[in-house]
Amino acid sequence: MNIEALKNEIYKLKREKNALIVAHNYQIDEVQEIADFVGDSFYLSKVCAERPEEVIVFCGVHFMAESAKILSPHKKVLLPEIDAGCPLADMVTAEDVENLKKKYPDYSIVCYINSPASVKAKSDVICTSSNAVKIVREFPNDKIIFLPDKNLGSFVRKQVPEKDIILWEGFCITHYKIKKEDVEKAKSLHPNALVLVHPECRPEVVELADFVGSTKQIIDFATASKEKEFIIGTEMGVLYSLKKLNPDKKFYILHPGMICPNMKKNTLQSVRDALLYERYQIEVEEEIMQGAKRALAKMLEMG
Ligand code: 13P
């Protein structure tokens, strides 16, 4: 089936099933194009919780669809490619959290949304890259264990020096590719460009940036800016919205390897199949569901 025919079938199925399609900023262009909402993980988790549609096709990775299911257990949440995972999320287990709690009983656990539901269930509150600083700063405990991303954790630690923050050793394999030298080289090639990076980058990369934020915050910053050139330190999928919203501006990606192989798994074909066959349905065990819902709801309540 050609692209136009696929798109038309997706729109038809979407109407018939009264489904909502959401896509993360890292999805391939064609998938972002057919989505009802495109954004970062915080924005999408709010959209999925607030919208009335009973069927959600989540074009992202597993933990994102799982979070949508936890926040709206009665809805049918579909992930077009069931093996679209997140290596960072897999770097911590529920058992690790149990051991940390035994070792540091006075500490509260702030867990990045890039984590399995079983880990969220044992955490005090969830955060995303767009609200991690706020959540840690405002959480009513000065002793925090931040997991699983050590880079986002160290960014938070710099912004909230008054708190004692223990970091877990996880990291995003895609953002980790960007080195300090890449930023120095990009800056010398494009001396007028501002450097915008995601906080999953290494601390020495974050140090050299003009702006640090989630994918949506990067897109919003570049769109609102009077500057005309930007060096982008996150997955290339963000270029879709950056270019669409800013046809007069120039964007340079910091590293040619900024491609998350898992985020790129969803295709128009798999979105169409997800709608047609109502697959792959995300389910979460009841006991895990309750604990993870409490921690996610706490994040939404803190804003
Ligand atoms: P966002 O918070 O921008 O959605 O980032 C999520 C992510 O997985 C980055 O790699």
Side-chain angles (χ1 to χ4, degrees), residues 24 26 40-41 63-64 112 114 129 175 198 200 214-215:
H24 189 267
Y26 293 161
D40 64 7
S41 37
F63 75 81
M64 294 181 176
Y112 189 27
N114 300 36
S129 68
H175 286 91
H198 195 279
E200 284 179 17
S214 75
T215 51

Side-chain angles (χ1 to χ4, degrees), residues 254-267:
L254 244 180
H255 188 287
M258 286 293 98
I259 300 169
C260 169
N262 283 290
M263 282 284 184
K264 299 306 191 223
K265 284 181 179 163
N266 299 313
T267 60

Side-chain angles (χ1 to χ4, degrees), residues 24-26 39-44 61 63-64 86 88 112-114 127-131 149 152 172 174-175 198-200 213-218 234-235 238 260 263:
H24 189 267
N25 286 317
Y26 293 161
D40 64 7
S41 37
F42 182 62
Y43 174 76
L44 296 181
V61 289
F63 75 81
M64 294 181 176
C86 171
L88 165 60
Y112 189 27
I113 199 164
N114 300 36
C127 70
T128 71
S129 68
S130 68
N131 63 13
D149 186 8
L152 175 60
C172 162
T174 304
H175 286 91
H198 195 279
E200 284 179 17
S214 75
T215 51
K216 183 175 183 313
Q217 288 168 336
I218 287 175
T234 191
E235 213 272 354
V238 295
C260 169
M263 282 284 184

Side-chain angles (χ1 to χ4, degrees), residues 103-279:
K103 199 167 168 195
Y104 304 103
D106 310 340
Y107 286 65
S108 294
I109 312 262
V110 178
C111 174
Y112 189 27
I113 199 164
N114 300 36
S115 53
S118 56
V119 168
K120 289 186 177 77
K122 294 191 181 294
S123 301
D124 294 291
V125 62
I126 308 305
C127 70
T128 71
S129 68
S130 68
N131 63 13
V133 170
K134 180 179 161 67
I135 299 276
V136 170
R137 186 175 284 140
E138 293 176 10
F139 196 81
N141 188 349
D142 287 344
K143 296 178 173 170
I144 301 287
I145 296 171
F146 190 93
L147 50 85
D149 186 8
K150 64 176 177 180
N151 294 322
L152 175 60
S154 95
F155 172 67
V156 171
R157 199 193 242 166
K158 283 225 172 70
Q159 312 299 307
V160 194
E162 66 277 18
K163 295 213 176 188
D164 171 8
I165 304 175
I166 296 173
L167 303 180
W168 187 251
E169 283 294 307
F171 60 93
C172 162
I173 55 172
T174 304
H175 286 91
Y176 215 61
K177 289 182 191 164
I178 305 177
K179 307 247 172 62
K180 190 179 166 203
E181 299 76 60
D182 297 312
V183 187
E184 288 164 350
K185 191 173 156 205
K187 277 183 153 193
S188 71
L189 284 172
H190 310 289
N192 297 322
L194 291 182
V195 179
L196 319 182
V197 308
H198 195 279
E200 284 179 17
C201 290
R202 296 162 186 263
E204 58 274 25
V205 168
V206 166
E207 191 80 16
L208 294 176
D210 297 295
F211 177 78
V212 185
S214 75
T215 51
K216 183 175 183 313
Q217 288 168 336
I218 287 175
I219 293 163
D220 291 348
F221 179 93
T223 305
S225 173
K226 288 192 180 69
E227 298 301 322
K228 293 283 177 218
E229 291 180 64
F230 303 88
I231 295 163
I232 303 296
T234 191
E235 213 272 354
M236 334 212 156
V238 295
L239 293 175
Y240 173 78
S241 289
L242 283 170
K243 288 181 180 167
K244 191 169 135 189
L245 295 169
N246 304 284
D248 58 326
K249 298 182 183 176
K250 287 201 172 113
F251 300 98
Y252 314 104
I253 206 88
L254 244 180
H255 188 287
M258 286 293 98
I259 300 169
C260 169
N262 283 290
M263 282 284 184
K264 299 306 191 223
K265 284 181 179 163
N266 299 313
T267 60
L268 285 181
Q269 182 69 47
S270 56
V271 172
R272 176 263 195 186
D273 291 348
L275 282 163
L276 184 62
Y277 305 116
E278 303 199 357
R279 72 184 193 198

